[in-house]
Amino acid sequence: MHFQDRWKRIIDELSPDRVTSVDELTERLGVSPATIRRDLNELDGLGYLLRVRGGAMRAESKAYKQAADERRSEGLQGQPGFLDTVISHAPAKRAIARTALEFLTPGLSMIIDGGTTTYTMASMMPNEPYHVLTTSIAILQGLIARPRVRVTLPGGEFFREQSIILNPYEDGILQHFTAARMFIGCQAITRNGLLQTDGLLVQSERRLIERANEIIVLADSSKINASGSLAVCPLSKIDVLITDDGIAPDAVEWLKAAGIDVRIAERTAEDRNTPVPLPR
């Protein structure tokens, strides 16, 4: 079992009301006690559980539990949260992020859109004099430890589920910001273009795209020909697509035929064995 699957299982098994022991987790996940203890310590350090003697508890507040209950009552429990998505396809995300970093030069002004692959990129960025505009609180948190990176946030409303700031109206800061490059993720990329499923997110991303000279899409191969209902932009707007080596050859062909520079990031042993730092 890869660590990203194991971490998701561990978090799912924990309760905020009782201690789940190392022995219980060892039996349920079929791995060694040493592995469970190491995972619990790492997840505790990242703020996703409370490590106690002999085991762990889920780190959830009453407000968090109430929000989760409301989502279940609205039939939204099947939608993955930010944490789940960060952990899913983690080796591919690291490989894509590492390739994306090749497009950075000191002094670069850029937009990094909210998303888990763009978050992975930000978590791996060097401490260089970049200027980053982002809508993502998780990306902001990841860049705080890099004092040479200047970060600008647009005004708007904070959406907790996506951990992003969105503004349905014209934003004064954004109107005066120009980026050499924009790094953006997606729900899907098909022959119909770059797709998302949230109307407000689409509106925000369209405005961001207009402020950048070059659009670079970061999307693991599971996003190619996936489902998405709302078009952010046509393929003609995309300059570069960075994906992983799981992409189908025919998809590479129609993407290149649309004029997109397709970069395929190969996953390494380090990508498979190194966890993506989780946002707090």
Side-chain angles (χ1 to χ4, degrees):
M1 183 185 299
H2 289 296
F3 74 88
Q4 61 264 33
D5 299 318
R6 195 171 64 244
W7 282 13
K8 287 174 65 177
R9 283 283 307 280
I10 288 173
I11 293 170
D12 288 342
E13 292 287 347
L14 297 182
S15 167
D17 304 315
R18 59 175 291 271
V19 175
T20 302
S21 69
V22 170
D23 290 341
E24 288 179 88
L25 293 170
T26 297
E27 182 178 355
R28 294 174 191 174
L29 275 70
V31 295
S32 69
T35 297
I36 292 295
R37 292 189 184 94
R38 183 176 63 249
D39 289 340
L40 293 182
N41 289 336
E42 290 177 353
L43 287 167
D44 176 71
L46 291 164
Y48 282 95
L49 54 79
L50 178 63
R51 186 75 164 95
V52 298
R53 182 178 179 84
M57 297 177 68
R58 181 175 294 192
E60 291 184 358
S61 65
K62 291 182 179 179
Y64 185 101
K65 291 171 67 179
Q66 181 179 355
D69 290 340
E70 290 174 356
R71 284 179 55 78
R72 280 190 287 271
S73 68
E74 295 168 0
L76 300 176
Q77 66 270 28
Q79 297 184 10
F82 192 86
L83 169 62
D84 292 334
T85 315
V86 168
I87 296 174
S88 299
H89 306 289
K93 293 179 192 295
R94 280 187 54 87
I96 292 166
R98 189 176 60 254
T99 301
L101 294 180
E102 297 173 6
F103 287 83
L104 303 189
T105 55
L108 183 71
S109 176
M110 73 190 88
I111 297 170
I112 305 181
D113 190 38
T116 53
T117 309
T118 51
Y119 163 77
T120 303
M121 170 194 166
S123 73
M124 296 169 62
M125 282 176 61
N127 183 25
E128 295 289 349
Y130 308 124
H131 187 181
V132 175
L133 183 144
T134 185
T135 59
S136 169
I137 298 299
I139 289 174
L140 168 66
Q141 291 172 327
L143 294 177
I144 284 175
R146 295 165 174 80
R148 301 185 71 190
V149 180
R150 179 183 175 189
V151 182
T152 296
L153 296 175
E157 181 179 353
F158 174 52
F159 287 73
R160 287 178 175 80
E161 179 64 24
Q162 299 94 338
S163 190
I164 57 177
I165 299 171
L166 297 179
N167 188 350
Y169 309 106
E170 291 297 325
D171 184 274
I173 293 176
L174 187 57
Q175 288 179 345
H176 300 285
F177 190 90
T178 300
R181 296 188 171 108
M182 176 178 178
F183 298 90
I184 183 173
C186 62
Q187 181 69 27
I189 183 168
T190 72
R191 288 178 172 84
N192 294 322
L194 192 73
L195 306 180
Q196 295 284 13
T197 56
D198 184 277
L200 188 57
L201 180 59
V202 168
Q203 186 178 352
S204 172
E205 289 181 335
R206 285 175 178 171
R207 288 202 300 271
L208 292 172
I209 285 173
E210 293 304 318
R211 307 309 304 169
N213 295 328
E214 185 178 22
I215 306 302
I216 302 177
V217 176
L218 312 185
D220 68 72
S221 57
S222 71
K223 302 293 182 67
I224 312 300
N225 283 325
S227 298
S229 55
L230 300 173
V232 176
C233 69
L235 295 178
S236 59
K237 279 277 191 180
I238 300 171
D239 297 288
V240 181
L241 168 68
I242 305 176
T243 188
D244 62 85
D245 48 8
I247 187 173
D250 66 309
V252 175
E253 291 180 7
W254 59 258
L255 287 162
K256 287 184 174 180
I260 298 173
D261 178 5
V262 179
R263 304 291 181 94
I264 299 176
E266 295 189 7
R267 288 166 286 188
T268 65
E270 182 181 2
D271 296 326
R272 295 185 176 91
N273 296 320
T274 304
V276 174
L278 300 182
R280 290 186 180 273

